[in-house]
């Protein structure tokens, strides 16, 4: 069985500040991990994915995430927030590549001017 | 490719009516997923098809829900009869084994009154 916990359903940062969105997972097999972003009234768009290669994964729009097996974490970061980053972010785990995603509850990121 | 196409984008129906949601996956993708998104339960996997065959339907809430994939380019999710608690955004996603990413449609927002 797999599960994902995203700490903080809402995160607010100032424009230019560091973005840190937390994700912890539970998996009985080596996981594949994903971060998706959802803009209002849109579908989900993949930001980045971990598929057992490099533990530091770089994605689109300046985001990156680090897989830490010892901490069962896959936190998402961005050095400097832009107003356009305001959206909902979902961490997801899969037992294999891209298949049967189990999502966390989501974190809504708000960016203040 | 136009991506995963879902129709309709919005559906408002009265309780007890039959509702059919449609999905056209990306050409060449051999897996298709239906997800449901609600405020209370977040994103849940309803059913997963591989090569047009239902592999896992354990997420389908009850017998009122049914899904079909008659061919590689089309799937439907049907609710009969619909109830107000079925109100949600329903997403379709497709995937193929050569990628490690599921692509999502823009969703159908269903409101049952």
């Amino acid at each position: 069985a797999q599960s994902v916990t995203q700490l903080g359903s809402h995160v607010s940062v100032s424009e230019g500040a560091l973005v840190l969105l937390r994700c912890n997972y539970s998996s009985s097999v080596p996981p594949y991990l994903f971060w998706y972003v959802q803009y209002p009234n849109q579908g989900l768009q993949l930001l980045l994915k971990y598929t057992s290669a490099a533990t530091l994964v770089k994605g689109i729009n300046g985001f990156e995430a680090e897989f830490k097996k010892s901490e069962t974490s896959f936190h998402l970061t961005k050095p400097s927030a832009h107003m356009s980053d305001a959206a909902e972010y979902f961490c997801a785990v899969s037992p294999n590549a891209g298949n049967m995603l189990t999502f966390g509850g989501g974190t809504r990121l708000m960016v203040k001017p | 490719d136009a991506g995963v196409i879902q129709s309709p984008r919005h559906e408002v129906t009265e309780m007890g009516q039959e509702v059919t949601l449609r999905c056209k996956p990306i050409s060449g993708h051999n897996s298709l997923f239906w997800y449901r998104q609600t405020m209370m339960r977040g994103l849940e996997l309803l059913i997963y098809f591989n090569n047009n065959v239902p592999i896992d339907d354990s997420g389908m809430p009850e017998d009122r829900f049914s899904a079909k994939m008659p061919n590689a380019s089309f799937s439907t999710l049907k609710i009969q009869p619909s109830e107000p608690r079925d109100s949600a955004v329903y997403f379709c996603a497709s995937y193929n084994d050569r990628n490690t990413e599921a692509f999502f449609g823009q969703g159908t927002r269903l409101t049952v009154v």
Side-chain angles (χ1 to χ4, degrees):
Chain A
Q2 301 188 306
S3 66
V4 176
T5 302
Q6 292 183 240
L7 288 175
S9 59
H10 292 79
V11 170
S12 180
V13 301
S14 298
E15 192 173 19
L18 171 72
V19 176
L20 171 60
L21 305 183
R22 300 178 186 275
C23 172
N24 289 89
Y25 69 92
S26 172
S27 177
S28 57
V29 299
Y32 290 78
L33 293 158
F34 305 80
W35 275 100
Y36 281 85
V37 61
Q38 184 180 31
Y39 297 101
N41 301 314
Q42 298 290 318
L44 280 76
Q45 179 184 4
L46 183 71
L47 275 178
L48 49 80
K49 58 192 177 189
Y50 167 76
T51 57
S52 74
T55 56
L56 182 62
V57 181
K58 294 187 184 299
I60 63 172
N61 300 340
F63 285 94
E64 63 182 38
E66 186 172 9
F67 171 67
K68 292 187 177 180
K69 184 178 179 180
S70 61
E71 298 177 7
T72 60
S73 69
F74 191 57
H75 302 330
L76 182 71
T77 60
K78 181 174 180 177
S80 176
H82 294 166
M83 296 296 291
S84 59
D85 294 327
E88 187 145 22
Y89 292 79
F90 293 92
C91 183
V93 64
S94 172
N96 43 41
N99 200 352
M100 293 185 64
L101 297 165
T102 299
F103 286 93
T107 297
R108 184 169 299 278
L109 176 66
M110 294 166 283
V111 182
K112 299 175 292 187
Chain B
D1 198 314
V4 176
I5 299 173
Q6 292 186 245
S7 64
R9 288 294 309 277
H10 302 274
E11 176 81 33
V12 180
T13 191
E14 292 185 346
M15 182 173 63
Q17 297 297 306
E18 177 180 295
V19 175
T20 299
L21 310 181
R22 297 173 174 79
C23 176
K24 181 181 187 319
I26 292 173
S27 177
H29 283 194
N30 62 348
S31 294
L32 184 141
F33 310 85
W34 284 99
Y35 289 89
R36 178 172 68 175
Q37 184 179 33
T38 61
M39 289 292 291
M40 292 295 293
R41 300 175 66 90
L43 276 157
E44 305 171 279
L45 177 64
L46 299 178
I47 187 168
Y48 154 49
F49 291 88
N50 184 254
N51 293 323
N52 311 337
V53 175
I55 302 300
D56 187 331
D57 65 354
S58 59
M60 295 286 264
E62 48 196 275
D63 292 346
R64 297 184 297 105
F65 285 69
S66 62
K68 294 182 179 179
M69 192 164 186
N71 58 62
S73 60
F74 184 64
S75 177
T76 60
L77 178 67
K78 185 177 293 186
I79 309 172
Q80 166 64 20
S82 57
E83 296 183 3
R85 59 194 170 116
D86 302 330
S87 297
V89 181
Y90 291 81
F91 288 103
C92 177
S94 71
Y95 162 82
N96 75 36
D97 296 339
R98 293 188 299 277
N99 292 318
T100 52
E101 173 184 355
F103 290 83
F104 283 76
Q106 293 200 308
T108 294
R109 182 175 297 277
L110 173 65
T111 303
V112 183
V113 297

